[in-house]
Amino acid sequence: MQKAGLNVVRMGESTWSLWEPEDGHFEYAWMDRVVEAMGRAGIKVIMGTPTYSIPTWLYHAHPEVLARPLGGGETFYGMRQNMDTDNPVYRFYAERVIRNLVQHYKDNPTVIGWQIDNETSSYGASNHDVFVGFVDHLRKKFGTTANLNKAWFLNYWGEDVNAWEDLPTRDSAQSTGYKLEWSRWQQMRVTEFLAWQAALVRQYARAGQFVTTDFGGAMRPDVDEEAIGAVLDIPAINVYHGTQDHFDGAQQAFHEDFARSLQGSNFLVTETNAQTTDWTSSFQFPPYDGQLRADVYTHLSNGANMVEYWHWASIAANQETYWKGVLSHDLEPNRAYAEVSRTAHELHKIGPHLVNLKISNHVAILWSRDSLNAIEFMPFSSAGPQWSGAHPAADYASLVRQIHKALYDLNVSVDFVFPTTQDFSRYKLLVVPALYIADDALLERIADYVKKGGHVVMTFKSGFANENSAVRWVRAPGPLREAAGFSYQEFSNLERPLPLKGDPFHAGDANKVSYWAEFLMPEHAQARASYDHPFFGRWPAITENHYGTGTLLYEGTYLSDTLQTKVLAEALREAGIAGPDQQLPVHVRVRHRVNRLGKRLHYYFNYSSEQKSFAYSYGMGKELLTGTATAHGQQVALKAWDVAIVEEE
Amino acid sequence: MQKAGLNVVRMGESTWSLWEPEDGHFEYAWMDRVVEAMGRAGIKVIMGTPTYSIPTWLYHAHPEVLARPLGGGETFYGMRQNMDTDNPVYRFYAERVIRNLVQHYKDNPTVIGWQIDNETSSYGASNHDVFVGFVDHLRKKFGTTANLNKAWFLNYWGEDVNAWEDLPTRDSAQSTGYKLEWSRWQQMRVTEFLAWQAALVRQYARAGQFVTTDFGGAMRPDVDEEAIGAVLDIPAINVYHGTQDHFDGAQQAFHEDFARSLQGSNFLVTETNAQTTDWTSSFQFPPYDGQLRADVYTHLSNGANMVEYWHWASIAANQETYWKGVLSHDLEPNRAYAEVSRTAHELHKIGPHLVNLKISNHVAILWSRDSLNAIEFMPFSSAGPQWSGAHPAADYASLVRQIHKALYDLNVSVDFVFPTTQDFSRYKLLVVPALYIADDALLERIADYVKKGGHVVMTFKSGFANENSAVRWVRAPGPLREAAGFSYQEFSNLERPLPLKGDPFHAGDANKVSYWAEFLMPEHAQARASYDHPFFGRWPAITENHYGTGTLLYEGTYLSDTLQTKVLAEALREAGIAGPDQQLPVHVRVRHRVNRLGKRLHYYFNYSSEQKSFAYSYGMGKELLTGTATAHGQQVALKAWDVAIVEEE
Amino acid sequence: MQKAGLNVVRMGESTWSLWEPEDGHFEYAWMDRVVEAMGRAGIKVIMGTPTYSIPTWLYHAHPEVLARPLGGGETFYGMRQNMDTDNPVYRFYAERVIRNLVQHYKDNPTVIGWQIDNETSSYGASNHDVFVGFVDHLRKKFGTTANLNKAWFLNYWGEDVNAWEDLPTRDSAQSTGYKLEWSRWQQMRVTEFLAWQAALVRQYARAGQFVTTDFGGAMRPDVDEEAIGAVLDIPAINVYHGTQDHFDGAQQAFHEDFARSLQGSNFLVTETNAQTTDWTSSFQFPPYDGQLRADVYTHLSNGANMVEYWHWASIAANQETYWKGVLSHDLEPNRAYAEVSRTAHELHKIGPHLVNLKISNHVAILWSRDSLNAIEFMPFSSAGPQWSGAHPAADYASLVRQIHKALYDLNVSVDFVFPTTQDFSRYKLLVVPALYIADDALLERIADYVKKGGHVVMTFKSGFANENSAVRWVRAPGPLREAAGFSYQEFSNLERPLPLKGDPFHAGDANKVSYWAEFLMPEHAQARASYDHPFFGRWPAITENHYGTGTLLYEGTYLSDTLQTKVLAEALREAGIAGPDQQLPVHVRVRHRVNRLGKRLHYYFNYSSEQKSFAYSYGMGKELLTGTATAHGQQVALKAWDVAIVEEE
């Protein structure tokens, strides 16, 4: 590692049985040896609390700590991340190992920070204690069962709850309000568990040792990353992405724009692809030459202050045998090692110019976990006839990813904002995908943002249901009606994709919409597109409304990817934030940042196997990797999967 | 509702928790208010017993009332229709609420009838008490275990039962006799439950209050609709069907020909499509303009005396959020309301000409629930390679639907007859799809019908197994051999569709048969078609036999839809029941009825988006909707989805 | 049967409830009557112990004898082959019925042999006693938990076992070592159970009564057929295969080459297709004329000494209603009966020339059950996106079948050899498919075979993991590196099929490889083919290495079927074992044997519906079926599905 130029490792999160081989008997020497060697090599350590995978003796004594899945059924030891993290037995043992561990390493100068747990989620636990906690939560939130019955419309099918002890479990619940609130309870449980771990660690950790945790990718349905971000010193994220012909930086940007937006801060990448990422041997796609290097700079360009791999060396056995590290099973240098090493040595030179980047964006996407979950319970597209359990063809997540990818392809860097965000005014364009769940206040904040000059692009289903997943009993889209400039009473699925009449956004073959069509009845809005269909054609597919000094463009249907890109390109022009970045060659991506020296950085990536050339459009600067001076208008040539980073003078 | 012209509503079936919010505490005021308002508005009420969905307090005290699924496993509260309806705890509570409810409304003049339960089925219950009841049933039916062993061939795999207590449960039973008898036991349970409810209601109901129940569509495998029909004053059926490009009246006719045939009577439509019918939001297909109106007349033309929607207003939450009513969630007038209202007001004028229709048909289809179930256990087509759990490509139900649809497309109105039907002689043509399960007596009745001049079209698998689902141990088709004029010993699946040699029925591209081919060896029968294949070609695919003064046409294979239509068209000609109705333009359908004034009615429907014209072929009359006089041979023009109803003078 | 020329039947294996209708009460008369009738007709009997399907009274008293499936859940009576065969309750009853049965028939001259149980496997049993046995097995094998932790790499995810009682059950185990060892334990259980039955039977059986058992097809993952073979007098196999257009002898050869290789002996065919083989009625494919006869000679040509059908007469009910016997349900003579009868009478004449064939082959395929299982846990191809539970597109079994079929199509008869085989030197060519699991000694034996002049064709994944399913921590392919002449550190799945550059094996459209590509770095080997792809193209796809006096040809990727045939054809030429058999017309197959008279037999089959002609290439002889003298070079004409058997002078 030292020879490869690495200077930080993350260890310990999967090793409870080594720290504590039997109940109450603790061993440290095995790890001390490693930490000491790291210290000698100048490599710093982030130490993980090992609580996400319990030892065999704990399960043997207390099988009840495993998470009960919805619907019941037996559960067994073997996989990790399968506990009821509320269970006091589990908490007792977890607390003891954490206290011992942190006390042991708090003064070790090599240990610079703590990772609490690992890719924590709710594990779908529906154990009795989880359910009891949920009923207590409802009691506090709703006060009386009468309020609950009303909020959740429980007289439907005669399922009123007139005594708290009559509340049925979540297992077969059909109430949409129940399902949504349960998903929130699972999120609250995860937040509380991590806050408890963070507080425990901080009782001992020395000043300067940071506390982080690694999110298992952005936007888990049962993890409130925004809330958890508030209990961390710095968030971390594990980012896996396509390789070979599927490597293009978009997935990294998606996860990392999210991680960065949680606290508006830099972040750590605790895991990313080394050779391959697979739990079988049927997903082995080692990167092409240059992709590992391009990947490191991609992470940094998004605001990462560290890039770590899962993992250094490949494991000879078990679940992740084929989740290969930088080294193969032979532990010898190899193609991946050579490229990682080259990149690390580059960073020794130019790294100080690339960390603590400041990133300020004109565009934000509103992300709503409640909408993700509520739409999952009432999906707007089906899985096709072949299998009812399959994932729908399109959903909230696919829509959010489509929008982010469209903006990414347009070379526009974005932030995410949340239902808790109080002020959208620092953005010129706010994109609101399918905001199915929202209270009136949030909808009014969006309307107000438009009124005061904001530009909004919003899609179908927004404003449809309230915070309890009940459809509003006023004309849709409820409190958005004025800002949107239309109302509607009907909607239809589309059996097959339909074209828009006249291809108004010049999308060519991609002039297609699918899945969903609201029958929008304009009141003040202008129709921007309509369906090429004898029945649906009477209602507009896309509208635009001027409201106050802003505009709200509304997509009443699910656009094809290309069509979405065309519509957003136009919205960017209307919002005055289009420019030369939209003229770069295909597969060339650019990001603009300010580094901690206060200088502007322009990152250029060639995410392709062909050489690409383009004119540099910004101020005189120096390309950091080559040291080449680069002037406005100068041609820059990038080889396959190559990177250029121009620091303005 | 009053303004829309509605004059009857159905209420109460989903509301147990409102009638009885806690054990033994009854509330009526909330419903009295509604009934009173209905009364004032001149709207009559059919009141439902609320027993199909139990309250939370009942489940909390008695979780054992839930239906145990085959194979066991935990079950939970949430969905409706999930009880063991034999359970005495459930019966105790159900009886009390029914008694109280009927006593409360028996004298209310607004309440004109009672619906018992809702879309009742067996819910697949295999609770211990259900199993004990089944063993008792077997004991009565078979007398000794020796008889059972013999009837069910239990020495296969050494599974004889030599003491009643050794009988294994249904869960993993492989015996075909066991499976069939268990399906009958489930049907008997449903019949007994509804008969019990009907008797309870009649203890109190005032004279003139009718008792009905609503079948959840025709031909459920575990509901003996014929037997249940006998305990009702009038049957009711819930009919859902395709809309938009899938609206054509065929599905309504299918369900309603069945409902009408149960007792040879008129019937109620208690539920049909309003806007959309969906448990997610991925099956939203609101009707095209005109379809809601055409639908009402379609139901009436089949013999319905009432058409109700599920439901009036859309529900803001829970399982049926997207099962939209006439009104959307905003409760304002809308496109659906306007069309329903228009139709209702038309009916205020012409309704008296359209109710209590008398329907007499020349053609009947023999429907065998035992054959449906037994073939399901031994399907003759597979689901394809992609998923073993998928529905087979073709089965008994698909064959019955194909035959009904072919006759529907030929503008032939049909009745259904049943294995219990003693006399088929009032029909000119009897169609017998895959009568896999039949006792000798039934087969002899069919043979006798032919002998005395009847025309039969019969398909493969008929007569193959006896009433215990044991294959007959004589040459197939057993007692039908004389009437059919052939025997066979072999049969093959067809790996892919085969053409018939020489396209004998002029089906063009649709000259194809699939799935199944019996190797028919004619004894007296003539070959009407043979397979175009070097091996299969030596056996006929379709035969015709003159037997006595009738004919039996036999399809030894599964015909394509079009080919089936061609074969049935010829059979109609041979039976002397073809005429001008078979010459109408495509998508124009006609039905001939006699109304309660004794006059002949001719219903014409245009199930398409194009205008259609045709010559009226019957006696001088008046088109009721427009008041236009209509003479024989006169051209009638129907706009998209429009209807004409000519009443002969 | 007598009239049809049959002279042996197998009976009794499915009839426990008839032998013992209640606990401890035994009945023999029902079977004595049948055995006596057989004796009178000159038909010998193989009697089965009836232990694979338990009676209802046994289950009623002891439901705990049923096999617990992995993951738990309730199990029920109904299907056969569902016991925990280790359970002492089961053993008690099984032992008693076996003792009684064998004592009863040991002196009956009609009973010539015993079949123990039927198609025995582990039934996936994971009952408590099975688990306890497994832990004992581990204790003996590994000695200490420290050794176990090391061998299985249990510190991964902190799952060390530091006390034997902490070992978790197999249910959710993710350890690759655990999964592999558990599969071996299941095999050991089956072997021990059958050895126990064989010993019991032999305590009573008279001298000359043989003991056999029938394998339910070759290569079950949980049955160690090689070990079981050692406790039998002669192995038996149940061979089912395609019919109609799918009949070609390949599947029979596959199963029977395996059965013959177990002990290098002749074998019995206890079951093969009569009319159809189906548990529903959707897989009914009765054979074309001639196929039943060709099938009998096919079995004999592979070394079978007996051919029996499952079964004589079709059963009127239950699971195998449509698994039709020689007779249909009507029990009358039919097309199948006529052909079986014709063939049996032929055998009365020429049979003595056809039994006890001696078969010696130049080519062997190395079959590794461990590799089958370990690759199943880490599959190298995926099931496609549509369903995660589907079988992968390719796996170890598909590769072995591809190789066997390629050699079969090349008219090359093969043996199977096993990891236990100590000496490969009697073969000129050894084919080694994906030998993923192997200890060093086995790999060294293969290398040594090459060194001493052997020819090996070997595929990807060979040598990758050790005997505990741990990837070797030296450069792949470990101990094979010298013999293979290359090493590799990386591999990739192939997203789609790739061509080989320049079509080096003249495979035309089939010049395609799929699924997997190792990045082979030649050290001494020559590249024989490389990928036509900008990235993968730098590594060879197929290499050949001269090592000692032999060669090792290595396929680093999954070849198309045709390409595999081309590569093996070349390997045959290089090994000097190609000849006129490779020039026969398509669908004509030949087998060369030596009969017990010491004469050479040449079997020719026409597996097609067209007549075929070819020149006979061997010594002067007589065609046994027609009595025609046949000289070298003479033209032989075979009608559709016909057979010729030339016995050399």
Side-chain angles (χ1 to χ4, degrees), chain A residues 514-532:
Chain A
S514 300
Y515 308 125
W516 189 258
E518 289 164 354
F519 296 0
L520 307 177
M521 302 184 290
E523 293 167 344
H524 311 294
Q526 285 82 49
R528 291 296 314 274
S530 63
Y531 306 96
D532 195 352

Side-chain angles (χ1 to χ4, degrees), chain A residues 295-307 347 354 357 603:
Chain A
D295 189 40
V296 171
Y297 291 109
T298 298
H299 294 304
L300 296 180
S301 78
N302 291 326
N305 270 355
M306 180 187 82
V307 177
L347 288 176
L354 306 182
L357 296 188
Y603 261 102

Side-chain angles (χ1 to χ4, degrees), chain A residues 282-328:
Chain A
S282 62
F283 199 77
Q284 297 287 298
F285 297 104
Y288 292 162
D289 300 325
Q291 291 186 335
L292 275 169
R293 176 170 172 268
D295 189 40
V296 171
Y297 291 109
T298 298
H299 294 304
L300 296 180
S301 78
N302 291 326
N305 270 355
M306 180 187 82
V307 177
E308 291 183 322
Y309 295 99
W310 178 257
H311 37 178
W312 170 244
S314 302
I315 302 173
N318 303 338
Q319 198 70 33
E320 290 175 313
T321 306
Y322 286 90
W323 201 296
K324 291 184 70 185
V326 174
L327 299 184
S328 291

